């Protein structure tokens, strides 16, 4: 892409130069007649679409310009009446260019206008850009959310606490006096059992007082 002043040709036929009053000053080519031409060497940096602009001025409506690259027609312009030979305006079109060095040729099938410059610029959106190097990103793993579910409440069956005989630390109930009129029942003392061979009582649990494995001075009676 870039701007080419019309008077900076490397070859031409039939054109003349004159001082221009267009912005930027310098010279323009003019006095163009049918089949006049100019040629330029161009170096295209990248294959792409370009906006081709031409700065022209005319008092007639007969002007025509063809743009060729390596003898192939690239674009054609009909030159508008701008109201004066130094009343310049910019006309444009879109073209495709291939990378490399080429010969650009401007042909004027019909003259009657002045040309100050032409330019090539990349079409917006087609500018070659270097792809950025992207650093890998890691998305944090979000643990799944578990909605609480109504858990069934286990049914606990009440258990009956075993009856435990009161110990010495528990309060004792005074025995009810026996009527003196009742005869005393005969008592008997069971033979003593060796505690080393006696069965053990399960705890928790209960045991009868008369199921001892050893004793001293006790008597048994029916209850």
């Amino acid at each position: 892409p870039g701007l080419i002043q019309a008077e900076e040709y490397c070859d031409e036929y039939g054109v003349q130069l004159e001082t221009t009053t267009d912005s930027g000053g310098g010279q323009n080519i003019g006095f163009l007649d049918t089949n006049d031409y100019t040629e330029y060497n161009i170096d295209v940096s990248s294959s792409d679409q370009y906006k081709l602009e031409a700065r022209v001025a005319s008092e007639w409506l007969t002007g025509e310009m063809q743009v060729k690259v390596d003898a192939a027609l690239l674009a054609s312009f009909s030159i508008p009446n701008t109201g004066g030979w130094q009343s310049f305006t910019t006309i444009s079109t879109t073209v495709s260019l291939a990378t490399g060095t080429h010969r650009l040729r401007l042909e004027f099938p019909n003259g009657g206008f002045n040309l100050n410059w032409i330019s090539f610029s990349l079409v917006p959106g087609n500018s070659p850009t270097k792809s950025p190097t992207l650093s890998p990103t890691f998305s944090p793993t979000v643990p799944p959310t578990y909605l609480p579910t109504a858990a069934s409440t286990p049914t606990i069956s009440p258990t009956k606490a075993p009856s435990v005989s009161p110990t010495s630390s528990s309060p004792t109930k005074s025995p009810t006096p026996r009527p003196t009129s009742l005869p005393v029942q005969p008592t008997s003392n069971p033979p003593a059992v060796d505690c080393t061979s006696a069965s053990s009582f399960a705890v928790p649990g209960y045991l009868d007082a008369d199921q001892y494995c050893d004793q001293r001075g006790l008597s048994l009676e029916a209850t």
Side-chain angles (χ1 to χ4, degrees), residues 4-24:
I4 302 171
Q5 294 290 342
E7 69 274 15
E8 294 179 349
Y9 45 75
C10 62
D11 193 11
E12 61 86 27
Y13 175 79
V15 303
Q16 298 182 45
L17 303 181
E18 65 177 354
T19 301
T20 181
T21 60
D22 194 13
S23 58

Side-chain angles (χ1 to χ4, degrees), residues 16 19 41 50 53 61 87 109 136 148 159 176-177 190 194 207 216 219:
Q16 298 182 45
T19 301
N41 290 323
Y50 293 84
E53 296 178 292
L61 289 174
S87 298
T159 58
T176 303
D194 185 3
L207 56 88
R216 177 183 171 84
S219 297

Side-chain angles (χ1 to χ4, degrees), residues 166-223:
T167 62
S168 59
S169 60
S170 302
T172 57
K173 182 178 180 182
S174 299
T176 303
R178 297 185 180 91
T180 55
S181 60
L182 293 178
V184 177
Q185 297 179 0
T187 63
S188 62
N189 293 330
V193 180
D194 185 3
C195 285
T196 59
S197 61
S199 299
S200 297
F201 292 97
V203 177
Y206 69 93
L207 56 88
D208 287 324
D210 56 343
Q211 293 179 336
Y212 45 76
C213 64
D214 194 6
Q215 63 86 22
R216 177 183 171 84
L218 301 181
S219 297
L220 299 179
E221 66 178 354
T223 180

